[in-house]
Amino acid sequence: MQKKQTKIAGILLVLCCVLALIVFFQTRPDTAAGEKHITISVVHSDSSKSTFSYDTDAEYLGEALTEQNLAEGTEGPYGMFITTVDGETADDSKEQWWCITKGGEMVNTGADQTPIQDQDQFELTLKEGY
């Protein structure tokens, strides 16, 4: 009896995983192929702001940032973890980190998973405190 319940639980778990993958692939944002014009604003720790405009064939933000040498980072489980932008490095001892926003709203993906479309505007802001 217990083996049967274990088999049923295993099958249900596999079905839930498959369903989750289907939902993910159906709802993830699309990328755009070809050349795109994007604008990236960088807000530094002293509140100064720099704006950069690029034409790129990259499909994801992380690729565009490294292609233009605007940002550097380390590879993590979700792709590039941004550590340096426009020459300013986040200080771990101060709990600083680079926040990615698009149109003023925080994105829910890492730089390597954030798709870009033509005319997108992103902001990279150095935040303090986790």
Side-chain angles (χ1 to χ4, degrees):
M1 180 77 164
Q2 193 168 358
K3 283 186 177 185
K4 185 176 183 180
Q5 289 176 342
T6 304
K7 278 185 178 181
I8 291 172
I11 291 170
L12 288 175
L13 179 62
V14 169
L15 288 175
C16 287
C17 290
V18 169
L19 182 61
L21 283 172
I22 290 170
V23 168
F24 170 75
F25 284 111
Q26 294 296 321
T27 60
R28 72 179 174 175
D30 291 330
T31 62
E35 188 169 272
K36 296 164 277 299
H37 182 79
I38 61 172
T39 303
I40 301 170
S41 298
V42 179
V43 181
H44 294 275
S45 59
D46 63 359
S47 298
S48 64
K49 186 175 180 179
S50 302
T51 303
F52 303 89
S53 293
Y54 298 117
D55 292 315
T56 181
D57 288 330
E59 293 186 22
Y60 293 94
L61 181 60
E63 183 183 354
L65 293 172
T66 54
E67 172 183 281
Q68 300 298 327
N69 295 317
L70 182 61
E72 297 174 8
T74 58
E75 285 301 312
Y78 304 106
M80 181 175 70
F81 177 74
I82 298 173
T83 55
T84 303
V85 176
D86 192 25
E88 184 170 11
T89 301
D91 185 347
D92 284 338
S93 68
K94 294 180 182 178
E95 296 184 346
Q96 291 180 333
W97 56 283
W98 287 99
C99 177
I100 305 170
T101 55
K102 180 179 174 182
E105 298 208 13
M106 189 184 297
V107 298
N108 294 324
T109 54
D112 287 342
Q113 299 170 337
T114 302
I116 56 177
Q117 303 283 332
D118 190 33
Q119 302 301 317
D120 274 350
Q121 295 182 2
F122 293 96
E123 303 83 29
L124 298 173
T125 306
L126 187 62
K127 300 277 190 171
E128 196 165 305
Y130 302 129

